[in-house]
Short mmCIF file of all heavy atoms in Angstrom, two decimals:
data_model
loop_
_atom_site.label_atom_id
_atom_site.label_comp_id
_atom_site.label_asym_id
_atom_site.label_seq_id
_atom_site.Cartn_x
_atom_site.Cartn_y
_atom_site.Cartn_z
N GLN Z 1032 -124.47 91.10 95.79
CA GLN Z 1032 -125.06 89.76 95.75
C GLN Z 1032 -125.76 89.50 94.41
O GLN Z 1032 -126.92 89.10 94.34
CB GLN Z 1032 -126.03 89.56 96.92
CG GLN Z 1032 -125.35 89.66 98.28
CD GLN Z 1032 -126.33 89.57 99.44
OE1 GLN Z 1032 -127.49 89.19 99.27
NE2 GLN Z 1032 -125.85 89.91 100.64
N ILE Z 1033 -125.02 89.78 93.34
CA ILE Z 1033 -125.51 89.53 91.98
C ILE Z 1033 -124.47 88.70 91.25
O ILE Z 1033 -123.33 88.54 91.70
CB ILE Z 1033 -125.78 90.85 91.22
CG1 ILE Z 1033 -124.50 91.68 91.15
CG2 ILE Z 1033 -126.90 91.63 91.87
CD1 ILE Z 1033 -124.66 92.96 90.35
N ASP Z 1034 -124.86 88.15 90.09
CA ASP Z 1034 -123.94 87.34 89.31
C ASP Z 1034 -122.82 88.20 88.75
O ASP Z 1034 -123.04 89.35 88.36
CB ASP Z 1034 -124.68 86.67 88.16
CG ASP Z 1034 -125.69 85.64 88.65
OD1 ASP Z 1034 -125.48 85.10 89.75
OD2 ASP Z 1034 -126.69 85.40 87.93
N PRO Z 1035 -121.61 87.65 88.68
CA PRO Z 1035 -120.51 88.37 88.03
C PRO Z 1035 -120.86 88.71 86.58
O PRO Z 1035 -121.58 87.96 85.91
CB PRO Z 1035 -119.34 87.38 88.10
CG PRO Z 1035 -119.69 86.46 89.22
CD PRO Z 1035 -121.18 86.35 89.23
N THR Z 1036 -120.36 89.81 86.12
CA THR Z 1036 -120.62 90.37 84.78
C THR Z 1036 -122.07 90.79 84.59
O THR Z 1036 -122.51 91.02 83.47
CB THR Z 1036 -120.22 89.40 83.65
OG1 THR Z 1036 -121.12 88.28 83.62
CG2 THR Z 1036 -118.79 88.91 83.84
N ASN Z 1037 -122.83 90.90 85.68
CA ASN Z 1037 -124.20 91.41 85.58
C ASN Z 1037 -124.14 92.89 85.17
O ASN Z 1037 -123.38 93.65 85.74
CB ASN Z 1037 -124.90 91.29 86.93
CG ASN Z 1037 -126.42 91.34 86.80
OD1 ASN Z 1037 -127.07 90.31 86.74
ND2 ASN Z 1037 -126.96 92.54 86.76
N PRO Z 1038 -124.93 93.31 84.17
CA PRO Z 1038 -124.90 94.73 83.78
C PRO Z 1038 -125.45 95.62 84.89
O PRO Z 1038 -126.44 95.29 85.55
CB PRO Z 1038 -125.78 94.78 82.53
CG PRO Z 1038 -126.66 93.58 82.62
CD PRO Z 1038 -125.86 92.53 83.33
N LEU Z 1039 -124.80 96.75 85.08
CA LEU Z 1039 -125.18 97.71 86.12
C LEU Z 1039 -125.19 99.12 85.55
O LEU Z 1039 -124.58 99.40 84.53
CB LEU Z 1039 -124.17 97.67 87.28
CG LEU Z 1039 -123.99 96.39 88.07
CD1 LEU Z 1039 -122.83 96.56 89.05
CD2 LEU Z 1039 -125.26 96.04 88.82
N ILE Z 1040 -125.90 99.99 86.26
CA ILE Z 1040 -125.78 101.42 86.01
C ILE Z 1040 -124.82 102.00 87.04
O ILE Z 1040 -125.00 101.82 88.24
CB ILE Z 1040 -127.15 102.13 86.11
CG1 ILE Z 1040 -128.07 101.69 84.97
CG2 ILE Z 1040 -126.96 103.65 86.08
CD1 ILE Z 1040 -127.58 102.09 83.60
N GLU Z 1041 -123.78 102.67 86.54
CA GLU Z 1041 -122.85 103.36 87.42
C GLU Z 1041 -123.17 104.85 87.37
O GLU Z 1041 -123.36 105.43 86.30
CB GLU Z 1041 -121.41 103.13 86.96
CG GLU Z 1041 -120.38 103.86 87.80
CD GLU Z 1041 -118.97 103.63 87.29
OE1 GLU Z 1041 -118.77 102.71 86.46
OE2 GLU Z 1041 -118.07 104.38 87.71
N TRP Z 1042 -123.25 105.47 88.54
CA TRP Z 1042 -123.57 106.89 88.69
C TRP Z 1042 -122.33 107.55 89.24
O TRP Z 1042 -121.88 107.27 90.34
CB TRP Z 1042 -124.76 107.00 89.63
CG TRP Z 1042 -125.17 108.33 90.17
CD1 TRP Z 1042 -124.39 109.38 90.53
CD2 TRP Z 1042 -126.52 108.74 90.47
NE1 TRP Z 1042 -125.13 110.42 91.03
CE2 TRP Z 1042 -126.45 110.04 91.01
CE3 TRP Z 1042 -127.76 108.12 90.36
CZ2 TRP Z 1042 -127.59 110.74 91.43
CZ3 TRP Z 1042 -128.87 108.82 90.77
CH2 TRP Z 1042 -128.80 110.11 91.29
N GLU Z 1043 -121.70 108.43 88.44
CA GLU Z 1043 -120.53 109.17 88.89
C GLU Z 1043 -120.94 110.61 89.19
O GLU Z 1043 -121.60 111.24 88.37
CB GLU Z 1043 -119.42 109.14 87.84
CG GLU Z 1043 -118.88 107.74 87.61
CD GLU Z 1043 -117.71 107.71 86.66
OE1 GLU Z 1043 -117.48 108.73 85.95
OE2 GLU Z 1043 -117.01 106.69 86.62
N GLU Z 1044 -120.56 111.07 90.37
CA GLU Z 1044 -121.05 112.36 90.87
C GLU Z 1044 -119.86 113.20 91.33
O GLU Z 1044 -119.05 112.76 92.16
CB GLU Z 1044 -122.01 112.10 92.03
CG GLU Z 1044 -122.86 113.27 92.44
CD GLU Z 1044 -123.97 112.83 93.37
OE1 GLU Z 1044 -123.70 112.06 94.32
OE2 GLU Z 1044 -125.12 113.24 93.15
N LEU Z 1045 -119.74 114.42 90.80
CA LEU Z 1045 -118.64 115.31 91.15
C LEU Z 1045 -119.20 116.59 91.76
O LEU Z 1045 -119.98 117.29 91.12
CB LEU Z 1045 -117.81 115.63 89.91
CG LEU Z 1045 -116.52 116.44 90.09
CD1 LEU Z 1045 -115.56 115.72 91.03
CD2 LEU Z 1045 -115.86 116.69 88.74
N TYR Z 1046 -118.82 116.87 93.01
CA TYR Z 1046 -119.33 118.02 93.74
C TYR Z 1046 -118.39 119.22 93.58
O TYR Z 1046 -117.16 119.07 93.66
CB TYR Z 1046 -119.48 117.68 95.23
CG TYR Z 1046 -120.63 116.75 95.52
CD1 TYR Z 1046 -120.48 115.38 95.41
CD2 TYR Z 1046 -121.87 117.25 95.89
CE1 TYR Z 1046 -121.53 114.52 95.67
CE2 TYR Z 1046 -122.94 116.40 96.15
CZ TYR Z 1046 -122.76 115.04 96.04
OH TYR Z 1046 -123.80 114.19 96.29
N TYR Z 1047 -119.01 120.40 93.41
CA TYR Z 1047 -118.26 121.64 93.21
C TYR Z 1047 -118.61 122.67 94.29
O TYR Z 1047 -119.75 122.73 94.76
CB TYR Z 1047 -118.57 122.26 91.85
CG TYR Z 1047 -118.00 121.51 90.68
CD1 TYR Z 1047 -118.67 120.42 90.13
CD2 TYR Z 1047 -116.79 121.90 90.11
CE1 TYR Z 1047 -118.15 119.74 89.04
CE2 TYR Z 1047 -116.26 121.22 89.02
CZ TYR Z 1047 -116.95 120.14 88.49
OH TYR Z 1047 -116.43 119.47 87.41
N THR Z 1048 -117.62 123.50 94.63
CA THR Z 1048 -117.83 124.59 95.59
C THR Z 1048 -118.40 125.81 94.87
O THR Z 1048 -118.54 125.83 93.64
CB THR Z 1048 -116.51 124.98 96.27
OG1 THR Z 1048 -115.64 125.55 95.27
CG2 THR Z 1048 -115.83 123.77 96.89
N LEU Z 1049 -118.69 126.86 95.65
CA LEU Z 1049 -119.15 128.11 95.06
C LEU Z 1049 -118.14 128.68 94.07
O LEU Z 1049 -118.50 129.34 93.10
CB LEU Z 1049 -119.42 129.14 96.16
CG LEU Z 1049 -120.74 129.04 96.92
CD1 LEU Z 1049 -120.82 130.13 97.99
CD2 LEU Z 1049 -121.93 129.15 95.97
N GLU Z 1050 -116.84 128.41 94.35
CA GLU Z 1050 -115.79 128.89 93.46
C GLU Z 1050 -115.58 127.96 92.27
O GLU Z 1050 -114.63 128.12 91.51
CB GLU Z 1050 -114.47 129.04 94.23
CG GLU Z 1050 -114.46 130.16 95.26
CD GLU Z 1050 -115.22 129.77 96.53
OE1 GLU Z 1050 -115.41 128.55 96.79
OE2 GLU Z 1050 -115.64 130.70 97.27
N ASP Z 1051 -116.48 127.00 92.10
CA ASP Z 1051 -116.46 126.04 90.99
C ASP Z 1051 -115.22 125.16 91.04
O ASP Z 1051 -114.67 124.78 90.00
CB ASP Z 1051 -116.56 126.76 89.65
CG ASP Z 1051 -117.26 125.90 88.60
OD1 ASP Z 1051 -118.18 125.15 88.97
OD2 ASP Z 1051 -116.89 125.99 87.42
N ARG Z 1052 -114.82 124.80 92.23
CA ARG Z 1052 -113.67 123.92 92.41
C ARG Z 1052 -114.17 122.53 92.78
O ARG Z 1052 -114.96 122.37 93.70
CB ARG Z 1052 -112.76 124.46 93.52
CG ARG Z 1052 -111.50 123.64 93.74
CD ARG Z 1052 -110.55 124.38 94.66
NE ARG Z 1052 -111.13 124.61 95.97
CZ ARG Z 1052 -111.05 123.76 96.99
NH1 ARG Z 1052 -110.41 122.60 96.83
NH2 ARG Z 1052 -111.58 124.05 98.15
N PRO Z 1053 -113.72 121.47 92.08
CA PRO Z 1053 -114.15 120.11 92.44
C PRO Z 1053 -113.62 119.74 93.82
O PRO Z 1053 -112.42 119.91 94.09
CB PRO Z 1053 -113.56 119.24 91.35
CG PRO Z 1053 -112.41 120.03 90.80
CD PRO Z 1053 -112.81 121.47 90.94
N VAL Z 1054 -114.51 119.25 94.68
CA VAL Z 1054 -114.11 119.00 96.07
C VAL Z 1054 -114.28 117.54 96.48
O VAL Z 1054 -113.63 117.08 97.41
CB VAL Z 1054 -114.91 119.93 97.02
CG1 VAL Z 1054 -116.37 119.51 97.09
CG2 VAL Z 1054 -114.30 119.97 98.40
N CYS Z 1055 -115.13 116.80 95.76
CA CYS Z 1055 -115.43 115.43 96.17
C CYS Z 1055 -115.98 114.66 94.98
O CYS Z 1055 -116.74 115.20 94.17
CB CYS Z 1055 -116.45 115.46 97.31
SG CYS Z 1055 -117.14 113.86 97.75
N PHE Z 1056 -115.58 113.40 94.87
CA PHE Z 1056 -116.07 112.53 93.80
C PHE Z 1056 -116.70 111.29 94.43
O PHE Z 1056 -116.14 110.72 95.38
CB PHE Z 1056 -114.92 112.11 92.88
CG PHE Z 1056 -115.32 111.16 91.79
CD1 PHE Z 1056 -115.97 111.61 90.66
CD2 PHE Z 1056 -115.05 109.80 91.90
CE1 PHE Z 1056 -116.34 110.73 89.65
CE2 PHE Z 1056 -115.41 108.91 90.91
CZ PHE Z 1056 -116.07 109.38 89.77
N VAL Z 1057 -117.85 110.87 93.90
CA VAL Z 1057 -118.55 109.69 94.41
C VAL Z 1057 -118.87 108.77 93.24
O VAL Z 1057 -119.39 109.20 92.21
CB VAL Z 1057 -119.85 110.06 95.16
CG1 VAL Z 1057 -120.45 108.81 95.81
CG2 VAL Z 1057 -119.61 111.14 96.20
N ARG Z 1058 -118.56 107.50 93.43
CA ARG Z 1058 -118.88 106.48 92.43
C ARG Z 1058 -119.93 105.55 93.03
O ARG Z 1058 -119.73 104.99 94.12
CB ARG Z 1058 -117.61 105.71 92.05
CG ARG Z 1058 -117.79 104.64 91.02
CD ARG Z 1058 -116.44 104.11 90.55
NE ARG Z 1058 -115.91 104.95 89.48
CZ ARG Z 1058 -114.64 104.91 89.07
NH1 ARG Z 1058 -113.78 104.11 89.68
NH2 ARG Z 1058 -114.25 105.66 88.07
N ILE Z 1059 -121.07 105.37 92.32
CA ILE Z 1059 -122.23 104.67 92.88
C ILE Z 1059 -122.70 103.60 91.90
O ILE Z 1059 -122.74 103.83 90.69
CB ILE Z 1059 -123.38 105.68 93.14
CG1 ILE Z 1059 -122.89 106.85 94.00
CG2 ILE Z 1059 -124.56 105.00 93.81
CD1 ILE Z 1059 -123.67 108.12 93.81
N PHE Z 1060 -123.07 102.43 92.45
CA PHE Z 1060 -123.55 101.33 91.63
C PHE Z 1060 -124.92 100.88 92.14
O PHE Z 1060 -125.14 100.77 93.36
CB PHE Z 1060 -122.57 100.15 91.69
CG PHE Z 1060 -121.20 100.49 91.19
CD1 PHE Z 1060 -120.22 100.95 92.07
CD2 PHE Z 1060 -120.88 100.37 89.85
CE1 PHE Z 1060 -118.96 101.28 91.61
CE2 PHE Z 1060 -119.62 100.69 89.39
CZ PHE Z 1060 -118.65 101.15 90.27
N PHE Z 1061 -125.84 100.63 91.22
CA PHE Z 1061 -127.22 100.29 91.56
C PHE Z 1061 -127.52 98.83 91.21
O PHE Z 1061 -127.26 98.38 90.10
CB PHE Z 1061 -128.19 101.20 90.80
CG PHE Z 1061 -128.05 102.65 91.15
CD1 PHE Z 1061 -127.16 103.47 90.47
CD2 PHE Z 1061 -128.80 103.20 92.18
CE1 PHE Z 1061 -127.02 104.80 90.80
CE2 PHE Z 1061 -128.67 104.55 92.52
CZ PHE Z 1061 -127.77 105.34 91.83
N ASN Z 1062 -128.07 98.12 92.19
CA ASN Z 1062 -128.47 96.73 91.99
C ASN Z 1062 -129.78 96.72 91.18
O ASN Z 1062 -130.82 97.20 91.65
CB ASN Z 1062 -128.68 96.06 93.34
CG ASN Z 1062 -128.96 94.57 93.22
OD1 ASN Z 1062 -129.46 94.10 92.21
ND2 ASN Z 1062 -128.64 93.83 94.27
N PRO Z 1063 -129.78 96.17 89.96
CA PRO Z 1063 -130.98 96.21 89.12
C PRO Z 1063 -132.15 95.41 89.68
O PRO Z 1063 -133.29 95.59 89.24
CB PRO Z 1063 -130.49 95.64 87.78
CG PRO Z 1063 -129.33 94.79 88.14
CD PRO Z 1063 -128.67 95.47 89.30
N HIS Z 1064 -131.89 94.53 90.65
CA HIS Z 1064 -132.98 93.76 91.25
C HIS Z 1064 -133.88 94.65 92.11
O HIS Z 1064 -135.04 94.31 92.35
CB HIS Z 1064 -132.43 92.61 92.10
CG HIS Z 1064 -131.65 91.61 91.32
ND1 HIS Z 1064 -132.05 91.12 90.10
CD2 HIS Z 1064 -130.45 91.00 91.58
CE1 HIS Z 1064 -131.16 90.25 89.64
NE2 HIS Z 1064 -130.18 90.16 90.52
N PHE Z 1065 -133.34 95.77 92.60
CA PHE Z 1065 -134.11 96.65 93.46
C PHE Z 1065 -134.36 98.04 92.84
O PHE Z 1065 -135.41 98.64 93.06
CB PHE Z 1065 -133.39 96.87 94.80
CG PHE Z 1065 -133.26 95.64 95.64
CD1 PHE Z 1065 -132.06 94.94 95.69
CD2 PHE Z 1065 -134.33 95.18 96.38
CE1 PHE Z 1065 -131.93 93.81 96.47
CE2 PHE Z 1065 -134.21 94.03 97.16
CZ PHE Z 1065 -133.00 93.35 97.21
N MET Z 1066 -133.38 98.52 92.09
CA MET Z 1066 -133.40 99.91 91.67
C MET Z 1066 -133.82 100.06 90.21
O MET Z 1066 -133.16 99.55 89.31
CB MET Z 1066 -132.03 100.55 91.89
CG MET Z 1066 -131.48 100.39 93.30
SD MET Z 1066 -132.59 101.04 94.58
CE MET Z 1066 -132.60 102.78 94.15
N LYS Z 1067 -134.93 100.77 90.00
CA LYS Z 1067 -135.38 101.13 88.66
C LYS Z 1067 -135.60 102.64 88.66
O LYS Z 1067 -136.68 103.14 88.94
CB LYS Z 1067 -136.66 100.38 88.29
CG LYS Z 1067 -137.07 100.60 86.83
CD LYS Z 1067 -138.30 99.78 86.47
CE LYS Z 1067 -138.68 99.99 85.01
NZ LYS Z 1067 -139.89 99.22 84.65
N LEU Z 1068 -134.53 103.35 88.38
CA LEU Z 1068 -134.55 104.81 88.48
C LEU Z 1068 -135.33 105.41 87.31
O LEU Z 1068 -135.31 104.90 86.19
CB LEU Z 1068 -133.13 105.36 88.47
CG LEU Z 1068 -132.16 104.76 89.49
CD1 LEU Z 1068 -130.79 105.37 89.35
CD2 LEU Z 1068 -132.68 104.93 90.90
N CYS Z 1069 -136.00 106.52 87.58
CA CYS Z 1069 -136.69 107.23 86.51
C CYS Z 1069 -136.61 108.73 86.76
O CYS Z 1069 -136.25 109.18 87.85
CB CYS Z 1069 -138.15 106.78 86.39
SG CYS Z 1069 -139.27 107.46 87.62
N MET Z 1070 -136.91 109.50 85.75
CA MET Z 1070 -137.00 110.95 85.88
C MET Z 1070 -138.03 111.46 84.89
O MET Z 1070 -138.37 110.78 83.91
CB MET Z 1070 -135.65 111.62 85.64
CG MET Z 1070 -135.09 111.46 84.25
SD MET Z 1070 -133.48 112.25 84.06
CE MET Z 1070 -133.92 113.97 84.31
N LEU Z 1071 -138.56 112.63 85.15
CA LEU Z 1071 -139.55 113.24 84.27
C LEU Z 1071 -138.88 114.35 83.48
O LEU Z 1071 -138.20 115.20 84.05
CB LEU Z 1071 -140.72 113.79 85.08
CG LEU Z 1071 -141.88 114.39 84.28
CD1 LEU Z 1071 -143.21 114.06 84.95
CD2 LEU Z 1071 -141.74 115.89 84.13
N ARG Z 1072 -139.07 114.31 82.17
CA ARG Z 1072 -138.57 115.39 81.31
C ARG Z 1072 -139.76 116.10 80.69
O ARG Z 1072 -140.49 115.51 79.90
CB ARG Z 1072 -137.65 114.83 80.21
CG ARG Z 1072 -137.07 115.91 79.30
CD ARG Z 1072 -136.05 115.31 78.36
NE ARG Z 1072 -136.65 114.41 77.39
CZ ARG Z 1072 -137.14 114.79 76.21
NH1 ARG Z 1072 -137.12 116.07 75.87
NH2 ARG Z 1072 -137.64 113.90 75.38
N LYS Z 1073 -139.96 117.34 81.08
CA LYS Z 1073 -141.08 118.11 80.55
C LYS Z 1073 -140.82 118.45 79.09
O LYS Z 1073 -139.70 118.80 78.70
CB LYS Z 1073 -141.30 119.38 81.38
CG LYS Z 1073 -141.66 119.10 82.83
CD LYS Z 1073 -142.01 120.36 83.59
CE LYS Z 1073 -143.35 120.92 83.13
NZ LYS Z 1073 -143.79 122.05 83.99
N VAL Z 1074 -141.88 118.35 78.30
CA VAL Z 1074 -141.77 118.62 76.87
C VAL Z 1074 -141.98 120.10 76.62
O VAL Z 1074 -142.97 120.69 77.07
CB VAL Z 1074 -142.79 117.79 76.07
CG1 VAL Z 1074 -142.76 118.17 74.61
CG2 VAL Z 1074 -142.52 116.31 76.26
N SER Z 1075 -141.03 120.71 75.94
CA SER Z 1075 -141.18 122.12 75.56
C SER Z 1075 -141.21 122.20 74.04
O SER Z 1075 -140.37 121.61 73.36
CB SER Z 1075 -140.03 122.96 76.11
OG SER Z 1075 -138.79 122.48 75.66
N LYS Z 1076 -142.16 122.92 73.52
CA LYS Z 1076 -142.30 123.05 72.08
C LYS Z 1076 -141.62 124.33 71.62
O LYS Z 1076 -141.75 125.38 72.20
CB LYS Z 1076 -143.78 123.08 71.71
CG LYS Z 1076 -144.52 121.79 72.05
CD LYS Z 1076 -145.98 121.86 71.65
CE LYS Z 1076 -146.71 120.57 72.04
NZ LYS Z 1076 -148.13 120.60 71.69
N PHE Z 1077 -140.86 124.20 70.54
CA PHE Z 1077 -140.17 125.37 70.01
C PHE Z 1077 -140.06 125.21 68.50
O PHE Z 1077 -140.15 124.12 67.96
CB PHE Z 1077 -138.78 125.51 70.63
CG PHE Z 1077 -137.87 124.33 70.41
CD1 PHE Z 1077 -137.04 124.28 69.31
CD2 PHE Z 1077 -137.90 123.26 71.31
CE1 PHE Z 1077 -136.23 123.18 69.11
CE2 PHE Z 1077 -137.08 122.16 71.09
CZ PHE Z 1077 -136.24 122.13 70.00
N ARG Z 1078 -139.84 126.33 67.85
CA ARG Z 1078 -139.69 126.33 66.40
C ARG Z 1078 -138.22 126.24 66.04
O ARG Z 1078 -137.38 126.89 66.65
CB ARG Z 1078 -140.29 127.62 65.80
CG ARG Z 1078 -141.80 127.73 66.01
CD ARG Z 1078 -142.34 129.00 65.38
NE ARG Z 1078 -143.76 129.17 65.60
CZ ARG Z 1078 -144.69 128.65 64.84
NH1 ARG Z 1078 -144.35 127.92 63.80
NH2 ARG Z 1078 -145.96 128.83 65.11
#
C-alpha cells in the first residue's frame, strides 16, 4: 500500500545446512512507513 516506484530496502536471505549447502532462499521487502531498521556496530581500535 505504497506509491509505485517508492524506494524500498530488499533483504535477501540464504539459509545453509551444517554441510554448507544452500537449502532455502527468502526475499523480503520493508515498508519504509513502518520499518526503520538499525543495528549496533561496536568500535574496535587497532593499529
